[in-house]
Amino acid sequence: MYCNACGKAIAEDGRFCAYCGNVVGTPPAEKRLTRSRADRKIAGVCAGLAQYFDLDVTLVRVLCVFIMLATGICPGVVTYLLAWIMVPAEPELRPVLASQQPVAG
Ligand SMILES: [Zn+2]
């Protein structure tokens, strides 16, 4: 890949440009509980939990439904609504602008 600042070729897994010291690439994502935008059924709470705990989304949904039914629906629904309100939605992904990519050759 190439440095965004000076355009020199740098290592694919490099975090800094060796020529100008510019930070390149994206730092490892901080693990945060967010509501998924891409994989939501209602508010993305289950998908967000699945991402956070590295679980299968379907498993989390089944567990959520099971807990809601087992607790008589009300506490589960209230918990879900609270999570909807309190857990931030994950940031929207912005496509990399084509003009930022160096022209090959
Ligand atoms: Zn550079």
Side-chain angles (χ1 to χ4, degrees):
M1 66 182 174
Y2 298 90
C3 173
N4 291 330
C6 67
K8 292 212 164 72
I10 51 176
E12 283 300 320
D13 57 349
R15 295 276 313 280
F16 299 94
C17 172
Y19 300 97
C20 69
N22 184 48
V23 178
V24 292
T26 48
E30 194 185 336
K31 200 166 186 179
R32 277 182 76 207
L33 180 58
T34 55
R35 289 185 286 112
S36 175
R37 284 181 189 277
D39 197 18
R40 59 171 54 163
K41 282 280 187 270
I42 301 173
V45 172
C46 288
L49 284 172
Q51 275 177 13
Y52 188 81
F53 293 110
D54 259 333
L55 295 169
D56 191 89
V57 184
T58 309
L59 177 71
V60 175
R61 289 202 177 109
V62 169
L63 278 173
C64 278
V65 171
F66 178 79
I67 290 168
M68 282 189 195
L69 293 176
T71 56
I73 300 202
C74 230
V77 172
V78 170
T79 305
Y80 191 92
L81 289 176
L82 285 175
W84 190 342
I85 293 164
M86 292 188 298
V87 177
E90 72 180 352
E92 278 184 88
L93 297 175
R94 288 169 215 280
V96 176
L97 295 175
S99 61
Q100 290 179 341
Q101 297 294 325
V103 178

